[in-house]
């Protein structure tokens, strides 16, 4: 038995106006200082006030939010007593909002205790609205929460099915002027979600179509969104792709590109999407050596031709050519990591990846020796042949 979880997804132009119909008393908006400066927070608070709600804003979420930030926000939430929580931002703000929500409902808990097995009985005090301002993580439509343990330099994959938002508002207005680098990084995240959601050992009929559609949207629209940032169609389609991929991988799990990418993010502070997108073709080559069939489906869907055995290599090449087109690094060297930094970090990179909850969902699970060799390939930009 398995579940398909989804919020009510309100999407397209003016989706934000859905907020005016919200019934409630107090809304607590979890966001960051950049979004405050850009006026995105005002767009949201104006509509919440129009709906008659009192509003408080917590704009202190940092990229890759820490356990400390979550605890600080939850304390302010408890002081305010909201019946709606709004996670407004990229994955960092939305994940922070999900975790703060749990601590608000259960002040006795710490974030590290949030897991899929223990029932949380949420929604006794508040419900959650997610509003993405990047086209990337899909966190608006997943129950996953990724927090950073800054003391240990590692990312924690947490979350419970109850953490799924009640409403996700996917309005392209928030990404109309997303900077090219953030567009490229977060777009590679969408692709990684969709490829991994389709090829994980937890893949299922309900998610397959979502993942394939998201892959196609990324291939067609990401270059336009990055290189012609003012293209409204490309922006809207990429925004949709992110949520579609979120639903796809969120109900099928992510795999080893996430395990390896999370580790890179924690150790080198590489932005999440750049990190997972960078390792993705290497993981396709590694997994495809023993399990090529699902990659062959993707390659066929994209019309790339070739045999089943060739499919992982063709897909890896297609991903690298997309990355080149949008000027993303193809190796850790390209990303500015020196040989000395890499060698010093390698044991920690491997240890983090091995402990990452997403590794177990890979169709081929690497051991620590293989992880070490995989990271060496990623460092040097060498295709994986083992
Ligand atoms: N919960 C999930 O399912 C899930 C999935 C993937 C990743 N994640 C997590 O999400 C986080 C990454 O999220 P992200 O990639 O969206 O980046 P982010 O939320 O960390 O934001 C990156 C930067 O972009 C800025 N930004 C956001 N929206 C902007 C806009 N519209 N205009 C200008 N700047 C903007 C932010 O202020 C920030 O400085 C990581 O912690 C990652 O582990 C979660």
């Amino acid at each position: 038995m398995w579940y398909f979880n989804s919020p009510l997804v309100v999407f397209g132009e003016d989706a934000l106006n859905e907020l005016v119909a919200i019934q409630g008393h107090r809304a607590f908006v979890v966001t960051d200082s950049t979004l405050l400066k850009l006026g995105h927070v005002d767009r949201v608070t104006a509509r919440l006030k129009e709906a008659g709600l009192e509003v408080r804003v917590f704009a202190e979420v940092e990229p890759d939010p820490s356990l400390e930030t979550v605890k600080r926000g939850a304390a302010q939430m408890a002081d305010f007593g909201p019946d709606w929580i709004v996670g407004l931002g990229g994955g960092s703000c939305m994940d922070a909002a999900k975790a703060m929500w749990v601590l608000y409902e259960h002040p006795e808990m710490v974030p590290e205790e949030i897991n899929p097995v223990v029932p949380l009985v949420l929604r006794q005090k508040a419900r959650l609205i997610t509003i993405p301002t990047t086209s990337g993580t899909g966190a608006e439509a997943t129950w996953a929460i990724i927090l950073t343990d800054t003391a240990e330099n590692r990312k924690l994959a947490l979350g419970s099915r109850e953490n799924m938002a009640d409403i996700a508002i996917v309005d392209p207005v928030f990404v109309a002027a997303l900077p090219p680098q953030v567009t490229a990084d977060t777009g590679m995240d969408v692709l990684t979600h969709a490829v991994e959601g389709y090829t994980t050992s937890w893949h299922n009929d309900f998610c397959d179509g979502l993942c394939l559609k998201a892959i196609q949207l990324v291939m067609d629209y990401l270059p336009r969104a990055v290189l012609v940032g003012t293209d409204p169609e490309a922006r809207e389609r990429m925004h949709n792709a992110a949520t579609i991929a979120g639903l796809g991988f969120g109900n099928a799990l992510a795999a080893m590109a996430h395990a390896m990418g999370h580790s890179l993010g924690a150790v080198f502070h590489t932005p999440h999407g750049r990190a997972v997108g960078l390792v993705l073709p290497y993981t396709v080559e590694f997994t495809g050596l023993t399990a090529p069939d699902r990659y062959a489906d993707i390659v066929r869907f994209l019309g790339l031709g070739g045999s089943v055995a060739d499919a992982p290599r063709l897909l890896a090449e297609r991903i690298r050519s997309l990355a080149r087109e949008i000027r993303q690094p193809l190796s850790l060297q390209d990303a500015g990591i020196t040989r000395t930094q890499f060698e010093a970090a390698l044991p920690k990179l491997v240890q983090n990846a091995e402990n990452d909850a997403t590794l177990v969902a890979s169709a081929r699970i690497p051991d620590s020796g293989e992880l070490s060799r995989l990271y060496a390939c990623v460092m040097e930009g060498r295709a994986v042949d083992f």
Side-chain angles (χ1 to χ4, degrees):
M1 186 177 83
W2 195 233
Y3 300 89
F4 186 91
N5 298 283
S6 173
L8 170 69
V9 179
V10 189
F11 64 97
E13 197 182 340
D14 294 333
L16 189 60
N17 289 338
E18 180 75 8
L19 286 182
V20 177
I22 294 296
Q23 307 273 322
H25 303 286
R26 280 180 297 282
F28 189 89
V29 180
V30 179
T31 187
D32 69 31
S33 55
T34 304
L35 298 166
L36 199 58
K37 280 189 214 112
L38 291 172
H40 290 319
V41 176
D42 286 345
R43 288 179 203 278
V44 168
T45 55
R47 284 167 176 82
L48 289 167
K49 285 176 187 164
E50 201 180 327
L53 276 76
E54 193 186 334
V55 181
R56 189 181 289 183
V57 175
F58 177 87
E60 296 170 31
V61 179
E62 71 279 33
D64 300 328
S66 66
L67 299 169
E68 293 70 31
T69 300
V70 165
K71 288 179 197 157
R72 208 168 59 248
Q76 292 194 24
M77 209 178 260
D79 176 58
F80 184 59
D83 48 1
W84 282 101
I85 295 162
V86 180
L88 169 70
S92 296
C93 296
M94 293 187 285
D95 281 0
K98 291 179 199 168
M100 288 174 195
W101 177 28
V102 176
L103 302 202
Y104 170 53
E105 301 249 359
H106 293 288
E108 75 288 357
M109 281 182 73
V110 291
E112 298 93 310
E113 290 171 339
I114 308 170
N115 68 62
V117 182
V118 179
L120 293 172
V121 199
L122 295 179
R123 299 177 168 77
Q124 306 304 303
K125 294 181 180 172
R127 283 179 288 165
L128 177 68
I129 297 171
T130 44
I131 309 179
T133 64
T134 60
S135 304
T137 67
E140 64 277 10
T142 72
W143 51 257
I145 301 173
I146 313 293
L147 300 179
T148 295
D149 179 341
T150 43
E152 294 288 327
N153 259 357
R154 73 185 186 107
K155 285 195 167 191
L156 307 173
L158 309 167
S160 147
R161 283 197 301 117
E162 296 179 51
N163 278 126
M164 178 64 79
D166 295 274
I167 304 172
I169 296 182
V170 184
D171 190 324
V173 72
F174 292 105
V175 290
L178 194 63
Q181 184 64 66
V182 186
T183 307
D185 289 343
T186 51
M188 290 306 284
D189 196 18
V190 180
L191 183 64
T192 309
H193 291 154
V195 170
E196 292 215 302
Y198 193 83
T199 53
T200 160
S201 52
W202 293 61
H203 68 79
N204 60 72
D205 288 346
F206 287 81
C207 297
D208 283 355
L210 294 165
C211 293
L212 290 175
K213 181 67 189 173
I215 293 169
Q216 186 188 53
L217 287 170
V218 172
M219 294 298 180
D220 289 349
Y221 292 102
L222 181 58
R224 277 167 57 182
V226 175
L227 304 173
V228 195
T230 49
D231 180 335
E233 187 193 5
R235 290 297 193 182
E236 182 166 355
R237 303 300 288 275
M238 273 307 300
H239 214 39
N240 292 345
T243 307
I244 292 168
L247 289 169
F249 95 92
N251 287 290
L253 297 185
M256 65 184 283
H258 273 77
M260 292 180 69
H262 283 158
S263 186
L264 286 176
V267 173
F268 293 128
H269 306 290
T270 315
H272 172 77
R274 196 180 312 165
V276 296
L278 170 58
V279 298
L280 179 64
Y282 302 90
T283 65
V284 168
E285 287 163 342
F286 176 79
T287 312
L289 270 177
T290 59
D293 290 13
R294 302 284 296 174
Y295 298 111
D297 290 352
I298 297 174
V299 164
R300 202 167 40 241
F301 185 72
L302 292 175
L304 298 178
S307 66
V308 170
D310 268 347
R313 185 184 54 77
L314 288 173
L315 181 60
E317 268 173 20
R318 181 69 188 89
I319 294 166
R320 289 191 178 106
S321 90
L322 174 73
R324 238 177 251 115
E325 196 179 349
I326 59 169
R327 304 181 195 118
Q328 287 291 89
L330 296 176
S331 68
L332 281 174
Q333 270 167 352
D334 286 354
I337 305 298
T338 65
R339 167 67 49 191
T340 314
Q341 285 172 318
F342 174 72
E343 278 168 10
L346 187 58
K348 184 69 179 164
L349 287 172
V350 171
Q351 185 195 23
N352 282 351
E354 274 191 310
N355 289 332
D356 196 283
T358 58
L359 193 68
V360 293
S362 305
R364 181 182 174 200
I365 300 175
D367 61 26
S368 50
E370 287 167 331
L371 275 169
S372 215
R373 291 172 69 195
L374 278 159
Y375 274 120
C377 289
V378 179
M379 176 66 197
E380 291 158 15
R382 207 165 12 94
V384 177
D385 60 0
F386 56 89

